[in-house]
Amino acid sequence: YAITVPNSRLVFAPGTYRVDSALGPYAANDLEIDFGGAKLDFSNVSTSVSTVLFSFEGSYTATSAALTSSLGINEQTVACDTTGFASGDLVRIYSSTIWDSTRTSTKIGELNFVDAVVSPTSLTIVCPAESNYTTAATATIQKLTPVKNVHLKNGTIIAPAANDLVQGILIRLGLNCSIENMSTFDCDVYHIRLTDCILSTVSNCYIEEANNATQAYGITCADACQDCLVTNNTIRNVRHAFTTNNNTSTSYGITRRITVSHNAVYNNVPNVGGTSGDALDTHAGSEDIYFTNNSIEGAYGIGINVEGRSAIVQNNHINGSTAIGVRFASYVDNIESEGIISGNVFNWIGDDTATDDYGIVVTLPTATTNCRRLVIANNEIHSKSEPIIIQGSATAKFYEVAVSGNVCKLRAPGLTLAGAAGAEFVYCNNIAITGNVFYGLSRGVYLDTCALATISGNIVEVTATSGSSAYGIWVDTSPNTNVNGNTISFSGSGVTTTRGVFLNAGSTYSGVWSNVIKNFAAAGAAVYIDGSATGSVQANNIDAP
């Protein structure tokens, strides 16, 4: 009774409660449930795939109208039949026909509030739409009725022990809702899930999965969730501790502006099919997902995987991921991507079976969309393969790239990898590579088909003991590159060709000056210009063996 009556507070007495059927879905407003440490034991529930043990859900079935003209990015005036809409309504603009392959097959949709009904044929919205809708896309604006101010705290959810694909706590279409200090066990799909929620929080929860191979996600923000917070949670033995996704058969939306901070993740595990499970993860073209101050201990896969337009990954500690430390793949269509990856510590990245266990990898999967700005700064990276890789293409390039203050080395003393570069740049322009330390590699810095680069103030020690070549700084087909003020040394052995600074074919109008270059095979090998490369070599301090 209390659950369906507004302005209610439900308090449980301590103890364990046997629950033989799923609870909900409830439509509620202004409700607080304080479990007071009580446990809800769902062990005897008869479950099937996607059973939800405890849920609160708003309504999607209210007034809807087709857009009568195109709606572009950041537009606030919506042209439609406004009958049934009023100021303050929560609405969703969406299209069931837009399948955007660059956003991993996401159906486009976003939540907004109606500011004013301007006329019978148009209204204005508070938050501008972020996607392009055309009349050919048969886009729709839909009035929604959320559940508001629902707060759950201080309890435990115990799911059936078998790997039975159940969901734990679900809030669908929630406004200003929270899940605090809850524990969930053995929920083999989602432990805690927010979908189409606004200004909602999951905090101080404990999540644990008993199965070693599972589909379980710890905490999920799905569809058009926006402005939500996931903080101070402890998550063990799940496939993804956090993820975003899009339910293309039931709902539509781009997840935006989610902060994931101060969470502790332990031992994330493989999927039931054996594929990897990344510890912290985003899918479906999510935007502005912030990963800050999280701790990851043991990741079966990537530590933090960002698939979306934008990424901020700061001050996280990743210890022992079997694959990449941080991957940013900027799935995006209309707007150039941007990212900041800074202040992170990566220890023991990679296992002993693969060669692509990089520290940080940034790629542009969309063939025609560039990255506007990328900053990789002040990270400490110990990885099995290259610490930093930034990979563009002839049709999708990086602009304004800053890589500074990073300490990069292979993960174990004495470990070398032929061809490994401390930082590798492909199809990047306007690059600043400054104040980094690259140690224990066969290449320090490698540029391929880049332009307008400054490589300055770095410390590079090449320690390669195998392979045909070793280069401190290798500039390949990258004009207008300046290399100055670096300290570059070679302390390896058994390598056929060594170069301190190597300007290869096509690296025209470049300069190499005021570098300290030590222990390369001969004075002529310290700075080497090959092919059609041209440049000025001045005032370098060369110490040949």
Side-chain angles (χ1 to χ4, degrees):
Y1 174 75
I3 286 178
T4 59
V5 176
N7 299 309
S8 293
R9 183 170 186 264
L10 180 62
V11 180
F12 277 62
T16 300
Y17 296 79
R18 173 173 167 168
V19 185
D20 289 343
S21 62
L23 300 178
Y26 300 111
N29 292 319
D30 303 308
L31 170 68
E32 178 183 331
I33 300 180
D34 186 344
F35 290 93
K39 298 178 180 179
L40 300 185
D41 187 349
F42 291 87
S43 297
N44 295 301
V45 171
S46 177
T47 62
S48 61
V49 174
S50 75
T51 294
V52 182
L53 300 179
F54 194 30
S55 63
F56 292 83
E57 300 187 28
S59 171
Y60 297 81
T61 58
T63 303
S64 62
L67 274 62
T68 55
S69 68
S70 299
L71 179 66
I73 291 175
N74 297 325
E75 290 191 16
Q76 290 182 277
T77 301
V78 180
C80 67
D81 179 357
T82 62
T83 303
F85 293 98
S87 176
D89 283 347
L90 177 63
V91 296
R92 176 170 56 186
I93 303 172
Y94 74 96
S95 172
S96 60
T97 60
I98 296 177
W99 287 81
D100 189 339
S101 60
T102 64
R103 296 184 183 223
T104 58
S105 298
T106 294
K107 288 186 177 179
I108 303 298
E110 33 260 315
L111 304 183
N112 301 273
F113 289 92
V114 175
D115 183 40
V117 176
V118 180
S119 71
T121 58
S122 67
L123 51 80
T124 59
I125 52 179
V126 174
C127 299
E130 297 284 350
S131 299
N132 280 339
Y133 298 92
T134 66
T135 52
T138 62
T140 299
I141 182 167
Q142 178 185 37
K143 181 178 176 180
L144 310 174
T145 303
V147 293
K148 302 177 183 178
N149 306 317
V150 173
H151 305 291
L152 313 176
K153 63 183 183 180
N154 303 326
T156 297
I157 302 291
I158 302 174
N163 193 348
D164 46 22
L165 301 179
V166 302
Q167 302 181 42
I169 302 172
L170 168 66
I171 298 180
R172 182 186 296 274
L173 192 54
L175 174 61
N176 189 36
C177 296
S178 68
I179 300 171
E180 178 184 0
N181 197 29
M182 295 291 294
S183 297
T184 61
F185 294 90
D186 301 338
C187 302
D188 302 307
V189 179
Y190 304 101
H191 281 250
I192 296 175
R193 184 181 182 196
L194 306 180
T195 183
D196 284 340
C197 288
I198 302 176
L199 295 170
S200 295
T201 301
V202 180
S203 64
N204 297 295
C205 293
Y206 181 85
I207 293 170
E208 186 166 352
E209 175 59 43
N211 294 291
N212 291 325
T214 179
Q215 184 63 33
Y217 297 168
I219 299 169
T220 298
C221 290
D223 300 319
C225 276
Q226 58 193 46
D227 302 298
C228 294
L229 176 63
V230 177
T231 185
N232 288 301
N233 303 286
T234 299
I235 306 167
R236 296 179 181 271
N237 303 335
V238 298
R239 182 191 179 196
H240 297 311
F242 171 86
T243 195
T244 63
N245 59 7
N246 185 252
N247 303 288
T248 52
S249 63
T250 59
S251 191
Y252 319 96
I254 300 297
T255 305
R256 291 192 172 96
R257 299 181 303 279
I258 310 297
T259 297
V260 182
S261 71
H262 294 89
N263 300 285
V265 181
Y266 298 94
N267 189 41
N268 87 289
V269 297
N271 185 13
V272 288
T275 57
S276 65
D278 308 325
L280 299 176
D281 179 64
T282 69
H283 286 300
S286 303
E287 298 184 3
D288 301 326
I289 312 299
Y290 311 131
F291 293 104
T292 65
N293 298 98
N294 299 286
S295 175
I296 299 170
E297 295 286 336
Y300 190 89
I302 300 171
I304 299 177
N305 180 42
V306 182
E307 296 180 2
R309 187 192 69 81
S310 53
I312 295 182
V313 182
Q314 292 183 315
N315 301 326
N316 302 282
H317 185 281
I318 302 173
N319 185 33
S321 66
T322 63
I324 300 165
V326 169
R327 172 179 177 261
F328 174 29
S330 57
Y331 289 92
V332 62
D333 48 5
N334 297 310
I335 309 173
E336 293 180 331
S337 61
E338 56 187 344
I340 299 173
I341 303 172
S342 68
N344 304 285
V345 177
F346 304 83
N347 284 327
W348 205 262
I349 302 302
D351 56 22
D352 294 323
T353 61
T355 59
D356 57 349
D357 300 328
Y358 309 115
I360 297 172
V361 175
V362 186
T363 62
L364 298 174
T366 307
T368 59
T369 306
N370 299 316
C371 178
R372 177 195 309 140
R373 181 175 65 103
L374 176 66
V375 176
I376 299 177
N378 301 319
N379 301 284
E380 182 177 344
I381 306 171
H382 299 176
S383 56
K384 182 179 178 182
S385 301
E386 284 88 341
I388 299 172
I389 292 182
I390 304 172
Q391 177 82 52
S393 69
T395 56
K397 299 179 181 180
F398 290 88
Y399 293 93
E400 297 186 28
V401 178
V403 175
S404 65
N406 302 285
V407 177
C408 302
K409 63 181 180 179
L410 298 188
R411 69 182 193 194
L415 176 65
T416 61
L417 183 66
E424 179 175 325
F425 303 80
V426 183
Y427 286 104
C428 298
N429 295 333
N430 303 300
I431 316 166
I433 308 165
T434 59
N436 303 282
V437 176
F438 302 111
Y439 174 81
L441 304 133
S442 59
R443 304 173 190 172
V445 177
Y446 176 53
L447 271 61
D448 181 5
T449 322
C450 298
L452 299 170
T454 296
I455 306 172
S456 179
N458 302 284
I459 298 173
V460 178
E461 183 169 355
V462 180
T463 64
T465 57
S466 62
S468 60
S469 60
Y471 306 107
I473 295 174
W474 181 358
V475 181
D476 192 358
T477 323
S478 299
N480 301 102
T481 297
N482 291 314
V483 182
N484 71 285
N486 303 283
T487 299
I488 307 165
S489 62
F490 177 67
S491 59
S493 61
V495 179
T496 303
T497 303
T498 64
R499 303 279 188 259
V501 178
F502 179 32
L503 300 184
N504 204 6
S507 300
T508 55
Y509 306 106
S510 297
V512 181
W513 75 94
S514 300
N515 301 283
V516 177
I517 305 173
K518 300 180 179 181
N519 298 328
F520 287 85
V527 179
Y528 193 92
I529 301 178
D530 191 24
S532 59
T534 60
S536 175
V537 179
Q538 299 179 15
N540 295 288
N541 186 346
I542 299 172
D543 181 10

